[in-house]
Amino acid sequence: MRLKFALIGTALLLGLPLSQAAAFDLAAGQAQYEENCTSCHGSEVYTRKDRRVTSRKGLSAQVQRCQLALNLNWFDDEVENTAEFLNRNFYHFSQ
């Protein structure tokens, strides 16, 4: 029950639709990030001033491009979990 209220509270703080906030699995996104993303680059790509990604939508598109390049065959929710993990830890875009 506490987890449900935490998700609702997080959604309200971030201005997300409740269904979208509940849909993210940040632990899965982190695991996918650690297993796949860090094999190509470190966190500097997310924090540099001239980064290519400039929006939350663009972040999802970039994660999609990367997983396709690595032939990972992720489902859409796996792309979004990883994008949301990256967003909350590095980018901080509003939805």
Side-chain angles (χ1 to χ4, degrees):
M1 188 65 138
R2 288 182 181 166
L3 178 60
K4 183 176 180 179
F5 287 119
L7 286 173
I8 292 170
T10 300
L12 294 174
L13 285 173
L14 295 174
L16 300 173
L18 294 180
S19 61
Q20 184 178 359
F24 295 127
D25 183 344
L26 295 179
Q30 180 176 3
Q32 290 165 186
Y33 162 77
E34 290 172 354
E35 184 176 330
N36 301 287
C37 304
T38 57
S39 64
C40 291
H41 49 78
S43 63
E44 71 280 347
V45 73
Y46 315 120
T47 57
R48 65 184 181 206
K49 291 184 184 201
D50 63 336
R51 63 186 180 199
R52 293 181 187 174
V53 176
T54 59
S55 69
R56 177 59 177 81
K57 185 177 178 180
L59 179 55
S60 290
Q62 183 60 46
V63 170
Q64 178 73 343
R65 283 189 292 274
C66 288
Q67 74 87 19
L68 288 171
L70 294 171
N71 199 30
L72 297 174
N73 298 313
W74 286 354
F75 292 107
D76 290 344
D77 62 328
E78 293 172 303
V79 170
E80 288 305 317
N81 289 338
T82 304
E84 188 59 22
F85 169 79
L86 290 169
N87 189 44
R88 291 191 190 183
N89 286 280
F90 299 105
Y91 290 94
H92 310 288
F93 296 127
S94 62
Q95 303 296 323

